Amino acid sequence: KKILVIDDSPFVFHQVADIVEGSDYEVVGSAKTGELGIELYKELKPDFVILDIVMPGINGIETGKRLLEINPEAKIIILSSLCDAGTVEEVKEAGIRYLLPKPVQGDILLVTLKMLERR
C-alpha cells in the first residue's frame, strides 16, 4: 500500500519510511507544502496520506479538507505536536479521523494504518 507524506520536515519522511520498511506499506512520495502534496496526491494516487498541520502555505487541516474534496474516501492521518482539544476538534470537523502526536511511535502508526485500511 502506498503512502504519501506531506510535511515540511524531511525527518518525518524518513521516520515514516523507516517505520513502514518491511511491512505492507511503502512511502512513495513526499511534499513540503500542502499545495505540492495535493498535486502529488492526484499524480500518485496513494492509499494513505500522512500530514503535518503546521507547514508553509496552506496548513495540514486545509490540505486534508481539499484532499477529501478530491476523494471523499481519502485515508488521512495527521501527525502533529499540536494535539490540544481545539486542534482535535478542528481535525474532526475537517472530516479527518486520526490525529497522532509527534514524534510518532512506530507501533501506533502501523496499527492506525491497519485500522484505516479496514474502513
Side-chain angles (χ1 to χ4, degrees), residues 45-99:
K45 298 178 178 30
D47 300 292
F48 303 94
V49 176
I50 294 180
L51 267 175
D52 186 19
I53 291 180
V54 180
M55 297 183 291
I58 61 172
N59 71 25
I61 294 171
E62 181 60 31
T63 301
K65 286 179 186 176
R66 293 185 189 184
L67 292 173
L68 288 167
E69 287 172 7
I70 294 166
N71 175 9
E73 300 298 315
K75 294 178 167 77
I76 301 169
I77 298 170
I78 290 188
L79 299 183
S80 184
S81 49
L82 303 173
C83 290
D84 57 87
T87 303
V88 169
E89 194 56 39
E90 255 190 285
V91 167
K92 278 185 188 173
E93 285 174 9
I96 300 165
R97 297 174 62 127
Y98 295 98
L99 169 64

Side-chain angles (χ1 to χ4, degrees), residues 2-114:
K2 301 183 295 185
I3 299 172
L4 171 62
V5 176
I6 306 173
D7 194 308
D8 59 329
S9 167
F11 172 77
V12 173
F13 167 79
H14 293 293
Q15 182 185 32
V16 172
D18 288 346
I19 289 169
V20 302
E21 186 176 341
S23 71
D24 295 339
Y25 307 101
E26 175 189 11
V27 177
V28 294
S30 70
K32 294 181 189 245
T33 68
E35 293 88 348
L36 288 172
I38 290 165
E39 291 309 309
L40 266 181
Y41 181 83
K42 292 174 187 174
E43 181 184 320
L44 298 173
K45 298 178 178 30
D47 300 292
F48 303 94
V49 176
I50 294 180
L51 267 175
D52 186 19
I53 291 180
V54 180
M55 297 183 291
I58 61 172
N59 71 25
I61 294 171
E62 181 60 31
T63 301
K65 286 179 186 176
R66 293 185 189 184
L67 292 173
L68 288 167
E69 287 172 7
I70 294 166
N71 175 9
E73 300 298 315
K75 294 178 167 77
I76 301 169
I77 298 170
I78 290 188
L79 299 183
S80 184
S81 49
L82 303 173
C83 290
D84 57 87
T87 303
V88 169
E89 194 56 39
E90 255 190 285
V91 167
K92 278 185 188 173
E93 285 174 9
I96 300 165
R97 297 174 62 127
Y98 295 98
L99 169 64
L100 302 178
K102 278 184 180 178
V104 68
Q105 295 178 1
D107 55 341
I108 291 175
L109 179 59
L110 289 169
V111 165
T112 304
L113 286 165
K114 285 283 183 214

